[in-house]
Amino acid sequence: MRVTAAAGDPLATATDLLVLTSWEEEPLPSPLADLIEPGDWSGKAKQTLLIYPRDALPARRVLLIGLGRRSSPDLDQVREVAAIAAQRARELKVERCAFALPGVPDHPAEAVAAAIAEGSLLGSYRFLEYKTDLKPEDRHEVDELTLLTPGDAEEEAARGVARGDAVARGVNLARDLANLPPNDLTPARLAERAQELATAFGLPITVLGPTEMREQGFGGILAVGRGSANEPRFIVIDYGAQYADALTVCLVGKGMTFDSGGISIKPAENMDAMKMDMSGAAAVLGALHAIAELQLPLRVVALIGAAENMPDGSAYRPGDILKTLSGKTIEVLNTDAEGRIVLADALTYAQRYHPSAIIDLATLTGAISVALGPHAIGLFANDDALAQRLLRAGEAAGERAWQLPLWQPYREMVKSDIADVRNSAGRQAGAITAAAFLQSFVGDYPWAHLDIAGTAWTDSKSKAYQPKGATGVGVRLLVQALRDWTQK
Ligand code: BES
Ligand code: MN
Ligand code: ZN
C-alpha cells in the first residue's frame, strides 16, 4: 500500500472508501448525519459504521471510526484506528481509499499523519510467504491510501507520512525476519538479508564467518554456534560514517536464529517459538532501514551476532570456560544462557567505534516476561541520561520501556569462582543478572540494554496494528530516540 498526503475536502473527494474519524459526542457533518439513524453512532473509541452515501457524496463508501474522548487524545489510539480502517478497506477489496486527517489536541499534524501512516501500514501486515492455498482474492492489498489534509497542513502531513512510512516498513522488515522459520533463516541467510539491506542503501558491510572469527578471537559466538551445522556469522553495517564527529551510536542485536537451549536443552513445549530469538537483530536491521530511509544525521553502526544454539557432539557444554573477544573468561553453567555470551563479543567489538552510546536489543530472558509481561520492554543502563532518552522515546513512540536496577550486589551475582564471570546466576533476578553480565563487557561506554523477550512475540491480536506473531518491537523506540537525539 502506498501512503500519500494531499490537500482536499473529504466530503468533495471521489474515492472507493472515505475514512472519517469522529470524536465522541462530536456532531457529524450534515450530509452524513442525514444518512444514518442518530442512535447508531456514538463515536466511542474504535466504533465503526459503514455507510453507502449514494448520491449524497462523491465517495462510494464512507467508513466512520470513533476516536473516543477528545479530552484524552492519544496517538496510539490514532494508530489503532488507522489499522482498523486499513484492514476494513482490504476486506472490502478496495483499491484506493482516502483518510481525512483529524485534528488531535496537543499533537501537531505531522505527528498525527505519521501515526496514521504507521498504523495503516502496520495493521496491513501479513506474513503469507508460506501459504500456498490462498485464492488470489485472499491476497488482495489496498493500492493507495491518501491522507486528505486542510490546504495549510499538506506539507507538514507529507513529512509525517514519510516518517511513518519509513518506520512502519522498518517494523515490518523486522517482523518478516522474526516470522521466518529457522530452517530458512539460518545465520548465513540472516547475513544475506543484512547484505541486501546494505546494498539497497549503499552502506559498507562486513560479514565474518567462523574462520575470520577464529582468527580474531570471537570465543563467545564461536562456542555458542559450535553445536550447529549452520555456522555463525558476525555482521557489521556502517551507516552515516560522515557524521561520526557529530554522534555515533552502536546498535547491537542478538541474532539467535534458533535457540534449542543446547546441551541444557529446553522442554519441547513451545520450543518452536525460539525461532524468534533473533528479534533483537531483526529490530536493529529494521531500525537501520528506517534510519537510512530518513537519512538521519548520525553514524549508526549495526552489530549482529548470529548463531544457532544446538546440541551435538561438538556443542559447548556446562562447565566449559570460554575466552571472549575482550580477553575476559566466561564459565558456562547453562548453555541456554547463550544470548549474553554472543552479546559479550559484539559489545566488545562495538567499543572500536568509540560510540556516544551502545544500545543492545535481545530476547534475553524469560525472567523479563515474568516481571513485565507483554506490556513493556525491560531497560537497563549504566548511564542515566541514555536511560532517560530511551524511556522518553519509548513513551512517545508507543513502545514503553521500564527501567530495572543494576546495583553492585547484582553484579556480584555473576562473578565466577574460577573464571571472570559466569553465564547464569540461577532463578533470582534473572533479567537483572543477565544485564549485569552484559555490563561487564561494555567498559566505560554509555550503554543500555533492552530485554525484549516478553514483547517480541504475541499469540493474540493485542492491538489492531499488531497482528499475531513477531511484533517488530524496538524499531519504533530506536528510531524515535535517535531522531530526537539528532534534533537536540
Ligand atoms: N532466548 C531465551 C530467552 C527467551 C525466553 C526469549 C522466552 C523469549 C521467550 C534465552 O536464551 C534463555 O534461554 N534464557 C534463559 C536463561 C537462563 C538459562 C539463565 C531463561 O530465561 O530461562
Ligand atoms: Mn537460551
Ligand atoms: Zn536465547
Side-chain angles (χ1 to χ4, degrees):
M1 184 168 71
R2 253 188 338 275
V3 185
T4 57
D9 174 5
L11 298 183
T13 299
T15 173
D16 297 337
L17 176 72
L18 172 66
V19 182
L20 281 181
T21 59
S22 177
W23 300 98
E24 210 167 311
E25 281 153 31
E26 180 186 23
L28 295 173
S30 61
L32 282 171
D34 299 345
L35 291 171
I36 64 168
E37 280 300 321
D40 291 358
W41 181 253
S42 71
K44 73 175 181 16
K46 296 189 261 182
Q47 185 190 14
T48 60
L49 186 62
L50 185 64
I51 302 165
Y52 292 85
R54 299 297 166 205
D55 298 328
L57 290 179
R60 290 188 55 192
R61 308 173 185 82
V62 176
L63 180 65
L64 274 179
I65 307 193
L67 277 174
R69 289 178 198 283
R70 187 179 228 140
S71 53
S72 50
D74 172 0
L75 284 186
D76 211 52
Q77 189 83 302
V78 174
R79 268 183 217 106
E80 282 214 74
V81 159
I84 292 167
Q87 286 159 9
R88 199 63 189 274
R90 180 161 69 197
E91 282 163 25
L92 292 166
K93 305 277 192 289
V94 154
E95 296 289 345
R96 265 169 289 280
C97 61
F99 194 117
L101 178 72
V104 180
D106 305 335
H107 297 283
E110 183 179 333
V112 180
I116 291 169
E118 231 177 80
S120 57
L121 289 165
L122 293 177
S124 301
Y125 177 84
R126 293 188 289 184
F127 185 71
L128 301 180
E129 252 183 83
Y130 293 84
K131 282 277 182 199
T132 65
D133 57 354
L134 290 183
K135 301 186 209 76
E137 61 260 38
D138 296 332
R139 292 183 184 273
H140 175 83
E141 295 295 344
V142 177
D143 212 38
E144 182 152 21
L145 183 149
T146 308
L147 190 56
L148 294 174
T149 74
D152 57 350
E154 186 181 4
E155 244 178 76
E156 219 193 311
R159 266 195 316 255
V161 165
R163 172 151 59 85
D165 185 275
V167 170
R169 289 184 203 286
V171 175
N172 287 343
L173 166 65
R175 289 173 173 177
D176 271 344
L177 291 173
N179 280 326
L180 280 167
N183 54 333
D184 281 348
L185 194 79
T186 58
R189 267 301 289 157
L190 182 60
E192 282 171 32
R193 295 295 294 254
Q195 177 75 62
E196 285 163 26
L197 170 63
T199 305
F201 290 101
L203 307 177
I205 175 169
T206 307
V207 177
L208 306 183
T211 313
E212 292 98 334
M213 282 194 268
R214 256 190 304 277
E215 282 162 14
Q216 297 182 37
F218 287 71
I221 300 180
L222 283 168
V224 169
R226 217 163 56 207
S228 170
N230 298 310
E231 293 177 335
R233 294 288 186 273
F234 185 69
I235 306 162
V236 186
I237 310 181
D238 195 348
Y239 165 84
Q242 71 271 29
Y243 303 116
D245 291 339
L247 177 62
T248 297
V249 174
C250 289
L251 300 180
V252 177
K254 170 178 172 181
M256 207 56 49
T257 60
F258 185 69
D259 177 14
S260 71
I263 297 299
S264 315
I265 198 162
K266 289 179 180 293
E269 201 181 347
N270 297 329
M271 197 199 272
D272 59 290
M274 284 302 122
K275 71 171 186 178
M276 57 67 111
D277 209 19
M278 32 56 67
S279 296
V284 167
L285 292 177
L288 195 70
H289 189 282
I291 288 161
E293 191 76 57
L294 295 170
Q295 302 183 305
L296 293 189
L298 81 163
R299 185 184 200 184
V300 178
V301 185
L303 304 129
I304 291 167
E308 186 178 46
N309 187 20
M310 295 287 267
D312 86 349
S314 50
Y316 82 131
R317 356 165 160 61
D320 282 359
I321 294 182
L322 313 176
K323 190 167 181 94
T324 60
L325 186 61
S326 63
K328 281 195 209 303
T329 54
I330 299 173
E331 183 187 9
V332 178
L333 295 181
N334 188 320
T335 63
D336 197 12
E338 84 297 337
R340 62 198 77 183
I341 299 176
V342 166
L343 289 172
D345 282 349
L347 293 168
T348 300
Y349 197 94
Q351 296 173 43
R352 297 187 184 187
Y353 297 90
H354 303 293
S356 300
I358 301 174
I359 304 169
D360 79 71
L361 290 92
T363 46
L364 203 63
T365 67
I368 200 64
S369 149
V370 173
L372 299 174
H375 305 301
I377 297 167
L379 170 72
F380 303 82
N382 64 359
D383 183 280
D384 275 342
L386 178 60
Q388 289 307 318
R389 276 183 195 287
L390 296 175
L391 290 168
R392 274 199 308 269
E395 193 73 47
E399 288 186 333
R400 273 200 211 110
W402 190 257
Q403 190 173 6
L404 284 89
L406 277 175
W407 297 312
Q408 189 58 35
Y410 295 115
R411 307 190 60 190
E412 300 297 328
M413 289 172 76
V414 294
K415 289 192 173 155
S416 160
D417 292 337
I418 56 167
D420 298 331
V421 285
R422 54 180 181 170
N423 81 327
S424 169
R427 287 168 51 80
Q428 288 191 333
I432 305 181
T433 54
F437 176 100
L438 298 181
Q439 189 178 1
S440 53
F441 293 92
V442 297
D444 292 327
Y445 287 93
W447 155 81
H449 158 58
L450 299 170
D451 192 337
I452 55 171
T455 44
W457 191 265
T458 177
D459 290 321
S460 62
K461 190 169 169 170
S462 45
K463 284 186 175 171
Y465 62 78
Q466 179 52 72
K468 282 188 199 179
T471 62
V473 73
V475 174
R476 291 191 282 147
L477 182 154
L478 285 175
V479 177
Q480 180 85 38
L482 297 183
R483 202 168 61 86
D484 290 348
W485 202 335
T486 57
Q487 284 174 356
K488 273 167 229 153

